[in-house]
Amino acid sequence: MPRPPGHGPGYEVKRQEIIDLAADLFARKGYAATSITELGDAADLAKGALYYYIGSKENLLVEIQSRVLTPLLSAARRIQALDEHPVLKLRLLSETLLELILRRTDHIWVYEHDYRHLTGDNLTRLLRQRKQFEKIVRSLLTDAMDCGAFRRMDPRLTMLQFLNLHNHTYQWVRPSGPWDARFLSREYCATLFAGFRTADYDVSGLEDELGAFRERYQDWTAMVPAAHA
Amino acid sequence: MPRPPGHGPGYEVKRQEIIDLAADLFARKGYAATSITELGDAADLAKGALYYYIGSKENLLVEIQSRVLTPLLSAARRIQALDEHPVLKLRLLSETLLELILRRTDHIWVYEHDYRHLTGDNLTRLLRQRKQFEKIVRSLLTDAMDCGAFRRMDPRLTMLQFLNLHNHTYQWVRPSGPWDARFLSREYCATLFAGFRTADYDVSGLEDELGAFRERYQDWTAMVPAAHA
Amino acid sequence: MPRPPGHGPGYEVKRQEIIDLAADLFARKGYAATSITELGDAADLAKGALYYYIGSKENLLVEIQSRVLTPLLSAARRIQALDEHPVLKLRLLSETLLELILRRTDHIWVYEHDYRHLTGDNLTRLLRQRKQFEKIVRSLLTDAMDCGAFRRMDPRLTMLQFLNLHNHTYQWVRPSGPWDARFLSREYCATLFAGFRTADYDVSGLEDELGAFRERYQDWTAMVPAAHA
Amino acid sequence: MPRPPGHGPGYEVKRQEIIDLAADLFARKGYAATSITELGDAADLAKGALYYYIGSKENLLVEIQSRVLTPLLSAARRIQALDEHPVLKLRLLSETLLELILRRTDHIWVYEHDYRHLTGDNLTRLLRQRKQFEKIVRSLLTDAMDCGAFRRMDPRLTMLQFLNLHNHTYQWVRPSGPWDARFLSREYCATLFAGFRTADYDVSGLEDELGAFRERYQDWTAMVPAAHA
DNA sequence: AATGAATGAGCATTCATTCAT
DNA sequence: GATGAATGAATGCTCATTCAT
């Protein structure tokens, strides 16, 4: 979404590269402690040229947040719209979320830490989108309660447990580590769903159902890759 | 641990008050984005006087980290040393951890976000202490596996699940909110232990055992209150 | 009017000296084209120390405008309150205005040129005060019409002629030049009042009346010298 | 006076349009506070293209000053060369000057405020031309004194009064306001000439003489319209 | 004729810290 | 114990200008 009019063909490409660099720096040093000069050094670009691409420092933060929330929200909506069992949908959402966390750990780091440096409308919009995502998670969990799979629990606390377990992963995960998104999702969901389920609901078939689902919808991915990624 | 020598009786008291203010500011705005001037305003102290108490900005960060890790580590060690069932000990640790998170949410916020601004020995020491805490959690979990209560799982991943679920709580919890540490601990442990347990192990008696434990050791608390708190 | 609390005894003195320097620089180069670095050089003060005194660049502009308008408005009000003939009052106001223009030519230069760089409330307040001054001039002129000394003319245009002739003086006047405020006022008023008077009103006695007034109120000055001047 | 060689037919037209835009911007925001980027936005031209037309920012200032001084000087010379009564010539010059001020208020604003940002020869040339104009005004005034119409007064101060009254008009005048150049000139000259005249000289016939002059030289205008206007 | 991209110096302002008093 | 005053480097950002295409 380029702002100033009249940019050449390479503009957007370079712009995205700069945002990549910014995400890496912000993740490692924190948004407030990263200077535009450092970013210029990393991009090998004088400050003037840098600003030609970025507009402002906060703008970079907006873009990074957007790179997290846009695919996350659209994936959540696609999953919610599926005609599948709620618990399977939660399993799909879990894996999608972990994919994002593993693939874009630096972005998640910024997303979790530095959203408070957004101001005005940028902050308002972000908080609204976060709430929307949480609402979808909560509705999937209440669906699972309504169909008898999960116990009656406080929907908000159940959602928070789900998100606590997933979101905090960014703090220690390494993409080069031993565990991938599929594995972590299976483990996390095994834990959560064992705790959430009713005595009547048998969770042991879930992974098979997931396999069958993948069979049916080959190459299904919840997350639509962003243009630049 | 006051550094400069030769201080009067009120020195340490005022020093701790300043750290309180710093924790609040750092939690709300981030360490890097909080200026010493702001802290001076909050403390109603000129900058010269402020430095008389704090030594340096990083020093404040060290103190805040220490206020989290010192009671946490000592509590974890006291729990580990108890002659009780490993699962009960995990339940006690969970509640202790959540007590700290709820009572000192601002400190936890700084602890989770800004430890990366520590430098040199301060950082090394912090990371060492964090590892020690994680090691204790891991050993309690392997104890629970060894005694047949929990399934054989990767000890590190099990610990990370335990900590993910607990630690991320600082992001949304409000001390004035509807849930206290005891309630959250019961819920979290219900979820985790249902997922971790073997088919043979019955988790339903845990809360009663906890009650009995508290009966035996009246007024037992894992966490030794810090001098200033 | 010092803003931040807790300043030493020399603070205000130095502050006023810096505003003096700023007025000189702004007058010679223009507000927008004068950099804070230049001011720091002139004041022999590092930028940090400079800001300790000035708060912001715009603040300097506010102070300079205030140094013009505060004495001007109070002088105009004191003159308006006199129980004298309106034409004599105009003659007194003329001389007072020219005294200010001659004594503080640099301030007037900034006042005339750079008020547009004020923003928000600062601008609003300035424009309000300017209007108040103009209103006093206009009322003195209509008083002179009402008592038959001046022809019936458009009050606003008459005021604008009065102010055009006086205010533009800053553009060419030199304090070291051949003419002082008293002389210029006599000349300007001779021109204006000859043009404004009715056939019946004889303007030739005015300077004698002024002498008599000065005899009566010895050491009378319309302008109360500012504390720092 | 286009500088770079080899330009197409539309070059000069567009160049003049850009100077128009610049005059408007400089008048409203001040020369130093107006950026070339803003001008580019206003002209809907990228910066490269802009520089193709303008050469440099200072060049624009030169052109604007020239647009004021060139017609003003030539008008003053044409008036001076007329075989008419000096007071009538002053009346003609007054109206011409006010016509320029009213028609090109933005240019006058820049002319009065920002000439000091000219450097080197540009500044020298401007000051020389200003002096030339002032000399013509002064000589018309001494002519009026020599023929007995005006009292003997300091020629320079008389000229400065004449110019003060006229020039300061730019500060408040609106082309859409109630007064046109002819009216303002009549009022200003009524004021000035009543103050300047000898007891023997009757100023009341001046406007009739002006009418007769206009009758004789139909469509006479002192100001030759600039090519682009 | 016109553009998009780049530069490097400069801008106003804030920073953590020091220190004589 | 505490202050007011000072520093100098760094902050995010804008500037007039250039130039290959």
Side-chain angles (χ1 to χ4, degrees):
Chain A
M1 46 202 79
R3 216 78 37 77
H7 286 303
Y11 178 85
E12 194 57 24
V13 175
K14 190 144 199 170
R15 189 163 171 273
Q16 296 298 339
E17 284 169 7
I18 291 169
I19 300 171
D20 285 339
L21 290 168
D24 177 56
L25 281 169
F26 291 170
R28 283 193 284 114
K29 312 198 37 171
Y31 173 78
T34 304
S35 84
I36 288 293
T37 303
E38 282 172 290
L39 180 58
D41 289 349
D44 205 29
L45 226 42
K47 267 193 282 194
L50 200 63
Y51 268 85
Y52 176 67
Y53 290 102
I54 67 173
S56 75
K57 192 185 179 189
E58 180 166 349
N59 221 24
L60 288 168
L61 196 49
V62 171
E63 297 285 349
I64 293 167
Q65 304 283 355
S66 168
R67 281 184 177 185
V68 171
L69 269 169
T70 305
L72 194 58
L73 263 177
S74 87
R77 288 187 182 121
R78 293 187 70 210
I79 288 169
Q80 193 179 27
L82 286 174
D83 187 25
E84 301 288 339
H85 191 278
V87 176
L88 178 62
K89 291 203 230 176
L90 282 163
R91 175 65 178 76
L92 286 168
L93 185 63
S94 158
E95 191 165 321
T96 304
L97 181 50
L98 286 164
E99 270 167 18
L100 188 65
I101 291 169
L102 277 157
R103 180 147 44 87
R104 293 284 180 103
T105 315
D106 52 1
H107 285 68
I108 303 295
W109 203 282
V110 178
Y111 172 80
E112 291 285 339
H113 278 54
D114 293 317
Y115 65 91
R116 288 177 321 179
H117 293 109
L118 292 171
T119 59
D121 283 352
N122 290 332
L123 181 58
T124 313
R125 195 177 333 112
L126 173 90
L127 294 176
R128 193 184 343 113
Q129 289 183 301
R130 287 198 172 201
K131 288 237 165 71
Q132 283 169 12
F133 179 71
E134 292 180 359
K135 194 176 169 188
I136 293 171
V137 178
R138 211 166 52 236
S139 87
L140 291 181
L141 288 162
T142 48
D143 287 350
M145 296 179 200
D146 292 342
C147 77
F150 287 179
R151 297 180 282 125
R152 282 273 150 228
M153 298 168 286
D154 182 306
R156 177 147 193 270
L157 183 53
T158 315
M159 169 207 59
L160 290 167
Q161 289 192 60
F162 185 93
L163 292 182
N164 275 5
L165 190 55
H166 285 84
N167 285 348
H168 210 64
T169 305
Y170 79 93
Q171 274 275 1
W172 48 263
V173 84
R174 297 275 170 278
S176 58
W179 307 313
D180 64 6
R182 185 172 295 197
F183 172 77
L184 281 177
S185 178
R186 202 188 317 142
E187 293 294 307
Y188 286 3
C189 288
T191 303
L192 289 170
F193 298 166
F196 293 166
R197 70 180 241 271
T198 54
D200 297 339
Y201 179 72
D202 182 12
V203 85
S204 67
L206 180 59
E207 292 301 321
D208 287 344
E209 281 175 49
L210 180 62
F213 171 83
R214 288 206 169 100
E215 204 76 17
R216 273 203 311 282
Y217 302 90
Q218 295 214 319
D219 302 327
W220 188 88
T221 48
M223 202 134 49
V224 181
H228 67 274
Chain B
M1 50 202 77
R3 216 71 42 78
H7 290 305
Y11 179 85
E12 193 56 25
V13 175
K14 191 143 199 170
R15 188 162 173 276
Q16 296 298 337
E17 283 170 7
I18 291 169
I19 300 171
D20 284 339
L21 292 168
D24 177 56
L25 283 170
F26 292 171
R28 283 192 285 114
K29 312 197 41 175
Y31 172 78
T34 303
S35 81
I36 289 293
T37 303
E38 281 172 290
L39 180 58
D41 288 349
D44 205 30
L45 228 44
K47 276 197 272 194
L50 201 63
Y51 267 84
Y52 174 69
Y53 290 105
I54 67 173
S56 77
K57 194 185 178 188
E58 181 168 349
N59 225 21
L60 288 168
L61 197 49
V62 171
E63 298 286 349
I64 294 167
Q65 302 285 354
S66 167
R67 281 183 177 187
V68 171
L69 270 169
T70 304
L72 196 57
L73 263 177
S74 87
R77 286 182 182 127
R78 292 187 72 211
I79 288 170
Q80 195 179 26
L82 287 173
D83 187 26
E84 302 288 339
H85 190 277
V87 176
L88 179 61
K89 292 203 231 177
L90 281 164
R91 175 66 177 75
L92 286 168
L93 184 64
S94 157
E95 191 164 321
T96 303
L97 181 50
L98 285 164
E99 270 167 18
L100 188 65
I101 291 169
L102 277 157
R103 181 147 43 88
R104 292 283 180 102
T105 314
D106 52 0
H107 286 67
I108 302 296
W109 204 283
V110 178
Y111 172 79
E112 291 285 340
H113 278 53
D114 293 315
Y115 66 89
R116 288 174 320 176
H117 293 110
L118 291 171
T119 58
D121 283 352
N122 291 330
L123 182 57
T124 313
R125 192 178 333 112
L126 172 91
L127 294 177
R128 193 186 339 117
Q129 291 182 301
R130 286 199 172 202
K131 288 236 164 70
Q132 284 168 13
F133 179 71
E134 292 180 358
K135 193 175 169 189
I136 293 171
V137 178
R138 210 166 50 236
S139 85
L140 291 180
L141 287 162
T142 47
D143 287 350
M145 296 179 201
D146 292 344
C147 78
F150 287 179
R151 298 180 280 126
R152 282 273 150 227
M153 298 168 286
D154 181 306
R156 178 149 192 267
L157 182 54
T158 315
M159 170 209 55
L160 289 168
Q161 287 192 61
F162 184 93
L163 290 182
N164 275 4
L165 190 56
H166 285 83
N167 286 348
H168 209 65
T169 305
Y170 80 92
Q171 273 276 0
W172 49 262
V173 85
R174 295 276 169 279
S176 60
W179 306 314
D180 64 6
R182 184 172 295 198
F183 172 77
L184 282 177
S185 178
R186 203 190 315 144
E187 293 293 308
Y188 286 4
C189 288
T191 304
L192 289 170
F193 300 166
F196 292 167
R197 71 180 240 271
T198 54
D200 296 339
Y201 179 72
D202 182 12
V203 85
S204 67
L206 179 60
E207 292 301 319
D208 287 343
E209 283 175 48
L210 180 63
F213 171 82
R214 286 204 170 104
E215 204 78 16
R216 269 201 314 283
Y217 302 88
Q218 293 213 320
D219 302 327
W220 188 89
T221 46
M223 201 135 48
V224 183
H228 67 276
Chain C
M1 50 204 77
R3 217 75 39 77
H7 286 303
Y11 177 85
E12 194 56 25
V13 175
K14 190 147 199 170
R15 190 164 169 271
Q16 296 298 339
E17 285 170 6
I18 291 169
I19 300 172
D20 285 339
L21 291 168
D24 177 56
L25 282 169
F26 291 171
R28 284 192 283 114
K29 312 197 37 169
Y31 173 78
T34 303
S35 84
I36 288 293
T37 303
E38 281 171 290
L39 180 57
D41 289 349
D44 203 30
L45 227 42
K47 269 194 280 197
L50 201 62
Y51 268 85
Y52 176 65
Y53 289 102
I54 68 173
S56 75
K57 193 186 178 187
E58 180 167 348
N59 222 23
L60 289 168
L61 196 49
V62 171
E63 298 284 351
I64 293 167
Q65 304 283 354
S66 167
R67 282 183 177 188
V68 171
L69 270 168
T70 305
L72 196 56
L73 263 176
S74 86
R77 286 184 182 124
R78 293 187 69 211
I79 288 169
Q80 194 179 27
L82 288 174
D83 186 25
E84 303 288 340
H85 191 278
V87 176
L88 179 62
K89 292 202 229 175
L90 282 163
R91 174 66 177 75
L92 286 169
L93 185 63
S94 158
E95 191 165 321
T96 304
L97 182 49
L98 286 164
E99 269 167 20
L100 189 64
I101 291 169
L102 277 158
R103 181 147 43 89
R104 292 284 180 99
T105 315
D106 53 0
H107 286 66
I108 303 295
W109 203 283
V110 178
Y111 172 79
E112 290 285 340
H113 277 52
D114 293 314
Y115 66 89
R116 288 176 321 178
H117 293 109
L118 292 171
T119 60
D121 283 352
N122 290 331
L123 182 57
T124 313
R125 195 178 330 112
L126 173 90
L127 294 177
R128 195 188 333 117
Q129 291 182 302
R130 288 199 172 202
K131 288 236 165 70
Q132 284 170 12
F133 179 71
E134 293 180 356
K135 194 176 169 188
I136 292 171
V137 178
R138 211 166 51 235
S139 85
L140 291 180
L141 288 163
T142 49
D143 287 351
M145 295 179 202
D146 291 342
C147 76
F150 287 179
R151 297 180 280 126
R152 283 273 150 228
M153 297 169 287
D154 182 308
R156 178 149 191 268
L157 183 53
T158 314
M159 172 215 42
L160 290 167
Q161 288 192 61
F162 185 94
L163 291 182
N164 274 5
L165 190 56
H166 286 84
N167 285 348
H168 210 64
T169 305
Y170 79 93
Q171 274 275 0
W172 49 263
V173 85
R174 296 276 169 276
S176 59
W179 307 313
D180 63 6
R182 185 172 294 197
F183 172 77
L184 283 176
S185 179
R186 201 189 317 143
E187 294 292 308
Y188 286 3
C189 287
T191 303
L192 289 170
F193 299 167
F196 292 167
R197 72 178 241 270
T198 54
D200 298 338
Y201 179 72
D202 181 12
V203 86
S204 67
L206 180 59
E207 293 301 320
D208 288 342
E209 280 175 49
L210 180 62
F213 171 83
R214 287 202 171 107
E215 204 77 15
R216 270 200 316 281
Y217 302 90
Q218 295 211 320
D219 302 329
W220 188 88
T221 47
M223 202 135 49
V224 182
H228 67 276
Chain D
M1 51 202 78
R3 215 74 40 80
H7 290 306
Y11 179 84
E12 193 56 25
V13 175
K14 193 145 199 169
R15 188 161 172 277
Q16 296 298 339
E17 284 170 6
I18 292 169
I19 300 171
D20 284 340
L21 292 168
D24 178 56
L25 283 169
F26 291 171
R28 283 193 284 113
K29 313 198 38 174
Y31 172 78
T34 304
S35 82
I36 288 293
T37 303
E38 281 171 289
L39 181 58
D41 289 349
D44 207 29
L45 227 43
K47 276 198 273 197
L50 201 63
Y51 267 83
Y52 173 68
Y53 289 106
I54 68 173
S56 76
K57 195 187 178 187
E58 181 168 348
N59 227 21
L60 288 168
L61 196 49
V62 172
E63 299 285 351
I64 293 167
Q65 303 284 354
S66 166
R67 281 183 177 187
V68 171
L69 271 168
T70 304
L72 195 56
L73 263 177
S74 87
R77 286 183 182 126
R78 291 187 72 211
I79 288 170
Q80 195 180 26
L82 286 174
D83 187 24
E84 302 287 340
H85 191 277
V87 176
L88 179 61
K89 291 203 233 175
L90 281 164
R91 174 68 178 74
L92 286 168
L93 185 63
S94 159
E95 190 164 323
T96 304
L97 182 49
L98 285 163
E99 268 167 21
L100 188 64
I101 291 169
L102 277 156
R103 181 147 44 86
R104 291 286 179 100
T105 314
D106 52 0
H107 286 67
I108 302 295
W109 204 284
V110 178
Y111 171 79
E112 291 285 340
H113 279 54
D114 292 316
Y115 66 89
R116 288 174 321 177
H117 293 110
L118 291 172
T119 60
D121 285 350
N122 290 331
L123 182 57
T124 314
R125 194 180 329 114
L126 172 90
L127 294 177
R128 194 185 338 116
Q129 290 182 303
R130 287 199 172 202
K131 288 236 164 73
Q132 284 168 14
F133 179 71
E134 292 180 359
K135 194 177 168 187
I136 293 171
V137 178
R138 212 166 50 234
S139 84
L140 290 180
L141 287 163
T142 49
D143 287 350
M145 295 178 201
D146 290 343
C147 77
F150 286 0
R151 295 181 281 126
R152 281 274 151 228
M153 298 169 286
D154 182 305
R156 177 147 194 269
L157 182 54
T158 315
M159 169 207 62
L160 290 167
Q161 288 193 59
F162 184 94
L163 291 182
N164 275 5
L165 191 56
H166 285 84
N167 284 350
H168 210 64
T169 305
Y170 79 93
Q171 273 276 359
W172 49 262
V173 84
R174 296 275 171 279
S176 58
W179 305 314
D180 63 6
R182 184 171 296 198
F183 172 78
L184 282 177
S185 178
R186 202 189 317 142
E187 294 292 310
Y188 286 4
C189 288
T191 303
L192 289 171
F193 299 166
F196 293 167
R197 73 179 239 271
T198 55
D200 297 339
Y201 179 71
D202 182 12
V203 85
S204 67
L206 180 59
E207 293 301 318
D208 287 343
E209 282 174 49
L210 180 62
F213 171 82
R214 285 202 172 105
E215 205 77 15
R216 274 203 309 283
Y217 302 89
Q218 294 214 320
D219 301 328
W220 188 87
T221 47
M223 204 136 46
V224 182
H228 66 275

